Amino acid sequence: MNDDDVTPGHSASGRPLWERSGPAELKQLAESRPEELYEAAEQLGSRVSGEGPDGSSGPSAVRAAGRIAEALAETRSRDCARFAVDIVGRLLPLGPERREESDQGDRLRRSVAAKLVKTQQPRDLEALFGVLPDGLEDPAVEVRACILGELALIGVGRGRPALDAYAERLRELAHPLARLPRTRLDIEHRFGVRVRGLGSVKTPDQLRSRFPEIPATDSGAAAGRTAVEGSDARRAGSAAEPFTVSGWSREPEARFFTLPNPLAPDDLNISFIKELPLECLEGEGTRRGRAVTCHTTPDDVINELFAAAHNGGVNGQGQGGAYARLHAWNSLYALMGLPDGTPFMEAVRRAADHRWLRFMAFTDWFHHDTADVAFAVLDPSRMRVAVLAATDTDVDADF
């Protein structure tokens, strides 16, 4: 027995070297002994379906194998890329049979895909796409779909025959990610981009400093009182999707209203919004502070939707770039009331014809301490308004 053994159960201490290693040491193991790490992951994979001989249960084995896969994914080499994909594509479960392990597997597949695209050379990833899938049930297909989705976000992958053929087969099989564009659209230019000074908007002062404020009007209030709410559970679910899938701490509010007459564009303001029966504005006016609405643009809205799904909430997990993009587009389509089959460039064109705003208030919903977002959008007919509000504030906390 040797304390330098990588595989489980062989070291003098009873714990394999990789398990006793911190991130830096594990990275060194991935660089110098990737085959042994892969063998360790294979042994862990046999425990995913039940209790391992060393007492490790399925969920803990998934976490351990995933830790190895992520280290390999971040090590630039064709072999490491192949090992990482095989671990999350073959050894970790997909499907509802073992929900906890499957959820962990989904997260790890998305994480490994993102790390591979960030670290590996595209030519080394292309070698992973030599065999076209016959269906979508195989986890190996899912991880490759995520890799293609991550490549699209950095504008890489098109024009490579193996990747093009695989993407086409995914479209034929109706994989949800396959409907997304294979390249990044201009409206998505802020996805994943961090700019100093442009973090989350937490306070009304920050909102006013970054977006032009819309003044209140009496005519806006009068129009708000004529709004009639329509119920559409499917559309509301799609609009709220970036926040629900990523575990934001409070159920988002997605509401849809129609007006008897066209609304003057400048009347889509806080006076109008305050007349709507919104949960996020309950108690508005009972605290110090003034509610505010500001003009924004579709690229700002879809970026916030992407960031919510990508970063994850306090009670959840980020969804990875490929799926965060899908959830953001599903939400934007729902806010505009577009059919699912609308081409993306047509959706971009129509988004420019809508009027978009952000709003913020001083209520139990907006605590201005974590992430609070609220949007309203007026369609080109100026007779339909959609509202989406979400907060990641812990509503059970003692404020």
Side-chain angles (χ1 to χ4, degrees), residues 8 10 27 62 72 122 124 134 141 163 205 236 254 260 323 340 374 379:
H10 293 160
K27 179 175 175 59
V62 169
L72 290 167
D124 291 333
D134 295 322
V141 177
L163 302 184
D205 285 342
Y323 273 96
D340 292 342
D379 83 333

Side-chain angles (χ1 to χ4, degrees), residues 140-178:
V141 177
E142 178 63 18
V143 70
R144 286 165 173 81
C146 291
I147 291 172
L148 288 174
E150 296 288 346
L151 286 169
L153 282 171
I154 62 170
V156 175
R158 293 184 67 179
R160 295 177 179 270
L163 302 184
D164 291 344
Y166 207 98
E168 181 58 33
R169 178 59 60 87
L170 290 179
R171 277 192 289 272
E172 293 171 357
L173 295 172
H175 191 286
L177 293 177

